[in-house]
Amino acid sequence: MTTPPPGLRERKKQATREALREAALRLAVERGPDQVRVEDIAEAAGVSPRTYNNYFASREQAIVSAVTADREARIAAAVAARPPEVRLADAVTDAVVEQYTNTGESEHEALLLITTRAALRDAFLDATAGIEPPLTAVIAERLGHAGAHTARVLAASVAAAVRIALEGWLRPAGNAGAAGGFGSGGLVVPSGSLPDQLRAALAPLAPAFDAAERRTQP
């Protein structure tokens, strides 16, 4: 199924979103996240604060968007691009690992900020929920119409697994074993290999993916 190109209105909305997240990251790097107001980001992007609020709920969400932007759609597109004979569990795992570990310069810059601010870390972890809608659509198409409910459950499980992997990777320094340590602020040191942690978190979902695929076979 070919997706029609976005219309003029949608392209303008996308351009505004990009301008806001780029301005948010640039100002956060220049001044420090705590010194950036929503009004500052809106002014730098050439829009009103009211328009800003139509796109992001907080400055943290806008800053984090610089590293998470379009990732959800890219994960879904990567899964859709895999041949049908590729195991669905493998297609999903490979897509998630690729999109979470191949970061450019701006994404790397944003990650450095995220590891030093509790509010940014929380927004970064919350962004994993965005994986569910586009991935649900792709999995449902792979499983057929009868798999719509199963697709949603699987996609939600993937989003939860990714969040768990990221929580394990972003461990507060000196508090690696503590649960719920992300609200206390302080320096966070990434722990271990992110690809390994993502694969480990997604591995328990493989039997469910395999079972769903078997049910679609004649």
Side-chain angles (χ1 to χ4, degrees), residues 96-168:
V96 168
V97 171
E98 178 184 3
Q99 295 303 325
Y100 267 89
T101 56
N102 291 346
T103 58
E105 183 178 348
S106 63
E107 290 89 347
H108 181 68
E109 207 166 22
L111 278 172
L112 290 177
L113 287 175
I114 288 166
T115 60
T116 62
R117 296 293 191 283
L120 290 176
R121 295 196 298 272
D122 289 343
F124 182 64
L125 293 172
D126 289 344
T128 58
I131 294 172
E132 183 181 340
L135 189 57
T136 295
V138 170
I139 294 174
E141 185 171 351
R142 176 84 172 250
L143 298 180
H145 180 70
H149 179 72
T150 299
R152 185 176 178 185
V153 172
L154 290 172
S157 300
V158 169
V162 170
R163 182 182 179 112
I164 290 169
L166 292 175
E167 286 176 346

Side-chain angles (χ1 to χ4, degrees), residues 130-216:
I131 294 172
E132 183 181 340
L135 189 57
T136 295
V138 170
I139 294 174
E141 185 171 351
R142 176 84 172 250
L143 298 180
H145 180 70
H149 179 72
T150 299
R152 185 176 178 185
V153 172
L154 290 172
S157 300
V158 169
V162 170
R163 182 182 179 112
I164 290 169
L166 292 175
E167 286 176 346
W169 185 62
L170 291 173
R171 294 179 182 273
N175 194 29
F182 292 94
S184 58
L187 176 65
V188 167
V189 179
S191 173
S193 164
L194 179 56
D196 288 348
Q197 297 211 34
L198 287 168
R199 291 187 184 279
L202 291 167
L205 303 182
F209 275 104
D210 291 343
E213 283 196 289
R214 284 195 298 270
R215 289 198 295 270
T216 66

Side-chain angles (χ1 to χ4, degrees), residues 14 17-22 25 56 60-75 99-100 102-104 106-107 110 114 123-124 127-128 130:
Q14 182 61 25
R17 183 181 298 275
E18 291 175 1
L20 285 168
R21 66 194 184 207
E22 289 171 5
L25 177 58
F56 299 107
E60 288 80 14
Q61 193 179 79
I63 294 168
V64 165
S65 182
V67 70
T68 63
D70 306 322
R71 176 183 285 158
E72 300 88 354
R74 294 198 304 268
I75 289 172
Q99 295 303 325
Y100 267 89
N102 291 346
T103 58
S106 63
E107 290 89 347
I114 288 166
F124 182 64
T128 58

